[in-house]
Amino acid sequence: MPEARETQGGLGGFLRRSGYVRKWLILGVTIGVIAGLGAVVFYLALDYTGRFLLGYLGGYDIPKPAGDGDDAGSPGFDRPWAIPLITFGGALLSAWLVATFAPEAEGHGTDDAIEAVHTDPRGIRGRAIVVKTIASALTIGSGGSGGREGPAAHISAGFGSLLTRWLDLDDEDGRLAVSLGIGAGIGAIFGAPLGGAVLAASIVYREDFDYRALVPGFITSATAYAVLGSILGFDPLFGSLAADYRFEHPADLGWFVVLGVAAAAVGWLYARVFYGTAALTAKLPGNKIVKPAVGGLAVGLLALAIPQVLASGYGWAQKAADTDTLMTIPLWIVLLMPFAKIVATSLSIGTGGSGGIFGPGVVIGAFVGAALWRLGEALGIPGLPDTPAVFVVVGMMACFGSVAHAPLAVMIMVAEMTGSFTVIPGAMVAVGIACLVISRTNVSIYRAQRLDRNSA
């Protein structure tokens, strides 16, 4: 043990004596490698858990987007009675693991990582990383409505915290290491390295930008993406949804103004309902194992009417971007889907389950765009784009980018995830309008964010 401490102290001392470039090359690549490997482990754990619980036990295959295999999924439930039982059982086991071994792994996890940046970059326990991985795989794999970015961010941010303790980095370097972990984990799991790097610099503040995290973030996120891609592939999560779209008609901006306002309203509702559910859950009788399990049961029952709410929903977002598949979904489901997904995510994660809220936010935004297109198509409004893809992509950007107070990062990430940089001119209007609307409120989907660096 003394020799190990001397080695650790020697390495930490070497880094503390190093200049900026050498220090962050070493730390950036190291955090990136672990973030990429952690994202791979969680992705595989989630995939196999979903295949067994929903696929084998429930007889239902969730649709998958292009980057996850492009599986159309099951046409319906073979054993509908099993779905609520599986969502209940998965949530129950997940909640038991969290309550027994790492209570801090409850919820979406990103807020805990952001809080560590602001208060204690050494404070994320290694045990919480392991529990978060398993618990989130159980929650989402059993059909709970959650995203995979929160656990991925928690894993890599936790490793940044571990490095801070192990190498005895000072607080400023430790905060930066945890921030880089957040961005690299999310960027890797979504296959969006540039967006992940920008996210590392913007997600910890509502109205500010940590420029110190940007350049190291390039190295960390690119490394994480390279590691994950070399194992799982480099295809964008949603393939190329709106690659053929070209902004050629200034009149199209009117559509994006409407979409921006609608996305902001739904994003605001998402945050309010999610945290309202969390506050109400805390007041209800029952312990921290029972409440998420009841929430899981409710999600399973809701899914019998609207199957699209199950799990992450990325495959359904892909279907919503294609005219042929979108038109096969009943109009009432398309219109209700943003609100149903908000309810399902609040019941799954807001009650104390484990999973991310970024992914559901993207799906909610996708269906805001799809609903606007379907309404325009049904009413025969002239000037509507030929396919819903552009509205779906921009809806993703505007809805979550505004309520997360990270518009640039989310815009870049969604463009990378969808191979749709051609939508940027219209997206800038929609995202800008959505952010201006949200800025008039005090709402954020990440409550651990500080206003700016002066208030951190």
Side-chain angles (χ1 to χ4, degrees), residues 416-433:
E416 291 179 287
M417 291 157 59
T418 60
S420 305
F421 280 94
T422 57
V423 307
I424 291 297
M428 291 169 67
V429 172
V431 174
I433 293 292

Side-chain angles (χ1 to χ4, degrees), residues 57 179 194 304 353 367 388 403:
L57 296 181
S179 290
L194 179 56
L304 296 180
F367 273 90
V403 78

Side-chain angles (χ1 to χ4, degrees), residues 87-168:
T87 56
F88 171 80
L92 180 68
L93 183 54
S94 171
W96 176 80
L97 285 170
V98 169
T100 304
F101 297 104
E104 66 268 37
E106 175 185 326
H108 60 84
T110 308
D111 263 342
D112 291 333
I114 294 173
E115 188 62 34
V117 173
H118 293 304
T119 57
D120 184 9
R122 297 172 174 81
I124 302 176
R125 294 194 299 169
R127 177 189 297 183
I129 300 171
V130 177
V131 172
K132 188 72 178 178
T133 301
I134 300 172
S136 297
L138 285 168
T139 297
I140 305 169
S142 63
S145 178
R148 57 199 191 197
E149 89 296 330
H154 211 158
I155 292 167
S156 47
F159 183 71
S161 182
L162 176 63
L163 276 183
T164 302
R165 294 195 301 271
W166 188 54
L167 300 175
D168 195 24

Side-chain angles (χ1 to χ4, degrees), residues 81-404:
W81 57 267
I83 300 300
L85 297 179
I86 291 169
T87 56
F88 171 80
L92 180 68
L93 183 54
S94 171
W96 176 80
L97 285 170
V98 169
T100 304
F101 297 104
E104 66 268 37
E106 175 185 326
H108 60 84
T110 308
D111 263 342
D112 291 333
I114 294 173
E115 188 62 34
V117 173
H118 293 304
T119 57
D120 184 9
R122 297 172 174 81
I124 302 176
R125 294 194 299 169
R127 177 189 297 183
I129 300 171
V130 177
V131 172
K132 188 72 178 178
T133 301
I134 300 172
S136 297
L138 285 168
T139 297
I140 305 169
S142 63
S145 178
R148 57 199 191 197
E149 89 296 330
H154 211 158
I155 292 167
S156 47
F159 183 71
S161 182
L162 176 63
L163 276 183
T164 302
R165 294 195 301 271
W166 188 54
L167 300 175
D168 195 24
L169 302 178
D170 62 38
D171 284 350
E172 286 303 309
D173 285 344
R175 291 189 180 98
L176 188 51
V178 176
S179 290
L180 296 181
I182 297 173
I186 295 177
I189 201 74
F190 279 145
L194 179 56
V198 177
L199 191 72
S202 58
I203 197 172
V204 297
Y205 301 113
R206 291 190 186 186
E207 298 180 3
D208 210 338
F209 190 86
D210 189 357
Y211 62 90
R212 298 167 301 177
L214 188 59
V215 174
F218 291 156
I219 297 167
T220 306
S221 289
T223 302
Y225 176 65
V227 170
L228 179 135
S230 65
I231 299 172
L232 298 179
F234 292 98
D235 293 335
L237 179 61
F238 295 105
S240 298
L241 292 188
D244 295 334
Y245 174 79
R246 294 292 182 274
F247 181 76
E248 298 175 335
H249 305 290
D252 288 352
L253 292 180
W255 284 110
F256 294 113
V257 171
V258 174
L259 182 53
V261 173
V266 175
W268 177 88
L269 185 67
Y270 180 28
R272 293 301 301 268
V273 171
F274 181 84
Y275 287 109
T277 302
L280 177 62
T281 299
K283 297 177 182 178
L284 293 175
N287 59 34
K288 291 192 174 184
I289 299 176
V290 172
K291 293 176 184 179
V294 173
L297 177 63
V299 170
L301 293 172
L302 176 61
L304 296 180
I306 307 178
Q308 291 82 359
V309 301
L310 285 174
S312 64
Y314 302 138
W316 286 109
Q318 175 115 40
K319 286 176 178 285
D322 182 84
T323 305
D324 292 337
T325 52
L326 177 61
M327 297 303 289
T328 64
I329 303 173
L331 178 59
W332 70 271
I333 289 183
V334 176
L335 297 179
L336 283 181
M337 181 57 185
F339 310 104
K341 192 67 175 173
I342 289 172
V343 171
T345 306
S346 300
L347 290 170
S348 297
I349 313 302
T351 56
S354 188
I357 54 176
F358 189 132
V362 167
V363 176
I364 290 164
F367 273 90
V368 170
L372 179 62
W373 189 89
R374 279 289 300 269
L375 280 177
E377 191 274 339
L379 296 174
I381 298 177
L384 193 71
D386 293 336
T387 73
V390 61
F391 281 7
V392 167
V393 173
V394 175
M396 293 178 184
M397 296 174 175
C399 185
F400 198 78
S402 60
V403 78

